[in-house]
Amino acid sequence: MTILSSSTIAGDEVVNRQGENLGEIKDLMIDTDTGRVAYAVLEFGGFLGMGSKLFAVPITAMQVDTESHNFIFDQSKEALKNAPGFDKDHWPDFTDREWGSSVHAHYGVRPYWE
């Protein structure tokens, strides 16, 4: 078992199975009713924070690589570019189960609340 603090995760690199950099973890979204980490907010693209896009990725869609201190997310850069995302000024309603179900379905994982 591994337990990590949120401060050690923020800023961690996210890579796909081919080793391509997909961005970094900007934040973790916690369901306060269950105490579970529901989503990792992934920042992808842009330059120095300009023009980047944010993605709510179900935490179950990624694997932690504790040796490399990064996350493995089985997506290509092209697939991520076309994934549903948001910008830093317009975050989604993470409590909306319809929205959450569509995000989980997009990444092919079961919603954490089921």
Side-chain angles (χ1 to χ4, degrees), residues 23-24 26 42-54 86-89 91:
E24 70 178 45
K26 295 307 280 182
L42 169 63
E43 182 178 37
F44 172 72
F47 181 71
L48 299 176
M50 302 283 291
S52 62
K53 190 174 177 182
L54 300 174
F86 55 99
D87 68 56
K88 65 180 178 153
D89 296 322
W91 286 51

Side-chain angles (χ1 to χ4, degrees), residues 7-87:
S7 62
T8 64
I9 293 172
D12 276 3
E13 183 177 82
V14 177
V15 298
N16 61 20
R17 297 209 183 278
Q18 293 73 38
E20 296 176 304
N21 185 323
L22 298 179
E24 70 178 45
I25 302 293
K26 295 307 280 182
D27 213 336
L28 298 176
M29 304 307 291
I30 299 168
D31 181 330
T32 58
D33 289 339
T34 65
R36 292 184 60 175
V37 174
Y39 302 94
V41 176
L42 169 63
E43 182 178 37
F44 172 72
F47 181 71
L48 299 176
M50 302 283 291
S52 62
K53 190 174 177 182
L54 300 174
F55 301 89
V57 177
I59 199 72
T60 56
M62 294 191 286
Q63 295 175 325
V64 179
D65 182 345
T66 54
E67 288 184 25
S68 298
H69 199 62
N70 62 22
F71 284 77
I72 299 170
F73 184 35
D74 199 15
Q75 296 285 308
S76 68
K77 282 186 173 186
E78 194 59 37
L80 192 56
K81 286 178 187 174
N82 296 316
F86 55 99
D87 68 56

